[in-house]
Amino acid sequence: MDRDQMVLQECVEALFHFYWIHRDKQADLYFQILSRKAELTDMMRDYFGYRLILRTEFIKLEKIPVSSKPFMGINNFSTVHHYMFFCCFLTYLEDKGEDQQFTLQNACDAIRMYYPEDAIHFAWEERSHRRAFADVLQHCVMLRLVYVVDRDIDGFRDDINHDVLFQTTPYFRHFAPLYFLDLSKIQSWSQLEEHITKEITNNTTPKQRVLRRFFLESAIYDDELSEDEVILLEDRQELERLNEIICESFEYWHLERYHRTTMLIHSEVRYGDYYPKDEQISNTAVQYATFIWDMVNEQKVALDHNGRITCTEYEALKWFQAIKELHSHGWTKSFTERPVTTIWREVMEYMSDFHMAEVQMDKQIVFYSATGRVTGYYA
């Protein structure tokens, strides 16, 4: 791959990895993309049906997923109130102009007005609710939707009357994806999902939807796809064409297809936060997956017709206890000192983020076929 093609690949990888490309902090990357804007705009439109937004201050690829996944949430938000306040705050900003100032108390009054009547109750007198809104405001500052002009946000956590002066930025109007829905007709979350799904289906081809999934999801399972997407992947010639598109543009990338599962494989790490803060979690996930895969090969557990294993939480914990007994001599001290159920949940959360496993509502555990792809042994 020549140097110019490598730079193009780096631009595409960066557009998918970063939410924004900032001109002031990522100048080299910003101008690399800007100098290739025609080629990148065509590529994003033709391959994915995506829009490339280029502004003086930033560049953004508007990445609309085909379906939502848990890992697409906001890590700093842990309650319903976080998301409710965030949506109401974005609605409040819609009436603002760029570089317009407002106060935190103005925003609090607006949240009361925009907050749905039938949603879970909130009151600013509750410290936990003020703390949640402070988290939202901090997140918005981090995203550059607003910035603080005077005083600090944290004071609101302890004092209901604490005020802060904010100012909007050129970013806030481009945060939310551009949908063409008549929101006045939406009465429930299921209706919103239905309208978004219909809009995506009507405005993209099966190939574009599959490519979106490859670049945003860690594994694609046939039973989660539409009928025309499954037909595309089951057609060997069509799958090979998709693989050629990817291999021509991206060195070290290729498609793998096995039993009702397809994955885009990166054989070299370039962009992407592939490890959790504690690398021990990812190492343990591999050991756990290997133990489970060995049981499949030894016919101790059976796969269903989708290539998955379903078990109880008790069984999953028993298997985890077995790998702890086998491998904990190589684990970090801080990892082994915690209760086994605690570290198991951390590993399961990590595997869930990569769509390898899922803890279901009835405490049933599902190990997806991607679990069998990340196996191996450490010295």
Coordinates of all heavy atoms in Angstrom, one line a residue, residues 80 84 114-122 187-189:
V80 N -31.3 6.6 34.9 CA -32.3 7.2 33.9 C -32.2 8.7 33.9 O -32.3 9.4 32.9 CB -33.7 6.7 34.3 CG1 -34.7 7.4 33.4 CG2 -33.8 5.2 34.1
M84 N -32.2 11.5 30.9 CA -33.4 12.4 30.7 C -32.9 13.8 30.8 O -33.3 14.7 30.0 CB -34.3 12.1 31.9 CG -35.0 10.8 31.9 SD -36.1 10.5 30.4 CE -37.4 11.7 30.8
Y114 N -39.1 21.1 30.1 CA -39.0 20.1 29.0 C -39.2 18.7 29.5 O -39.4 17.7 28.8 CB -37.6 20.2 28.3 CG -37.5 21.4 27.4 CD1 -36.5 22.4 27.7 CD2 -38.3 21.6 26.3 CE1 -36.4 23.5 26.9 CE2 -38.2 22.7 25.5 CZ -37.2 23.7 25.8 OH -37.0 24.8 25.0
Y115 N -39.0 18.5 30.8 CA -39.0 17.1 31.4 C -40.4 16.5 31.3 O -41.4 17.1 31.6 CB -38.7 17.2 32.9 CG -38.2 15.9 33.5 CD1 -36.9 15.4 33.3 CD2 -39.1 15.1 34.2 CE1 -36.5 14.2 33.9 CE2 -38.7 13.9 34.7 CZ -37.4 13.4 34.6 OH -37.0 12.2 35.1
P116 N -40.5 15.3 30.7 CA -41.9 14.7 30.5 C -42.6 14.4 31.8 O -42.0 14.0 32.8 CB -41.5 13.3 29.8 CG -40.1 13.5 29.3 CD -39.4 14.4 30.2
E117 N -43.9 14.7 31.8 CA -44.7 14.6 33.0 C -44.8 13.2 33.5 O -44.9 13.0 34.7 CB -46.1 15.1 32.7 CG -46.2 16.6 32.5 CD -47.6 17.1 32.3 OE1 -48.5 16.3 32.4 OE2 -47.8 18.3 32.0
D118 N -44.8 12.2 32.6 CA -45.0 10.8 33.0 C -43.7 10.1 33.3 O -43.6 8.9 33.5 CB -45.8 10.0 32.0 CG -45.2 10.1 30.6 OD1 -44.3 10.9 30.4 OD2 -45.7 9.3 29.7
A119 N -42.5 10.8 33.2 CA -41.2 10.2 33.4 C -41.0 10.1 34.9 O -41.7 10.7 35.7 CB -40.1 11.0 32.8
I120 N -39.9 9.4 35.3 CA -39.6 9.2 36.7 C -39.4 10.5 37.3 O -38.7 11.4 36.8 CB -38.3 8.3 36.8 CG1 -38.0 8.0 38.3 CG2 -37.2 8.8 36.0 CD1 -36.9 7.0 38.4
H121 N -39.9 10.7 38.5 CA -39.9 12.0 39.2 C -38.5 12.5 39.5 O -37.6 11.8 39.8 CB -40.7 11.9 40.5 CG -40.7 13.2 41.3 ND1 -41.3 14.3 41.0 CD2 -40.0 13.4 42.5 CE1 -41.1 15.2 41.9 NE2 -40.3 14.7 42.8
F122 N -38.3 13.9 39.5 CA -37.1 14.4 39.9 C -37.4 15.7 40.7 O -38.4 16.4 40.5 CB -36.1 14.7 38.7 CG -36.3 16.0 38.1 CD1 -35.5 17.1 38.5 CD2 -37.2 16.3 37.1 CE1 -35.6 18.4 37.9 CE2 -37.3 17.5 36.5 CZ -36.5 18.6 36.9
Q187 N -44.9 8.9 20.2 CA -45.5 8.9 21.5 C -44.8 7.9 22.5 O -45.2 7.9 23.7 CB -47.0 8.4 21.4 CG -47.8 9.4 20.5 CD -48.0 10.8 21.2 OE1 -48.1 10.9 22.4 NE2 -47.8 11.8 20.3
S188 N -43.9 7.1 22.0 CA -43.2 6.2 22.8 C -41.8 5.9 22.3 O -41.5 6.2 21.1 CB -44.0 4.9 22.9 OG -44.0 4.2 21.7
W189 N -41.0 5.2 23.1 CA -39.6 4.9 22.7 C -39.7 3.9 21.6 O -38.9 3.9 20.6 CB -38.9 4.3 23.9 CG -37.5 3.8 23.5 CD1 -37.1 2.5 23.4 CD2 -36.4 4.6 23.2 NE1 -35.8 2.5 23.0 CE2 -35.3 3.7 22.9 CE3 -36.2 6.0 23.1 CZ2 -34.0 4.2 22.5 CZ3 -34.9 6.4 22.7 CH2 -33.9 5.6 22.4

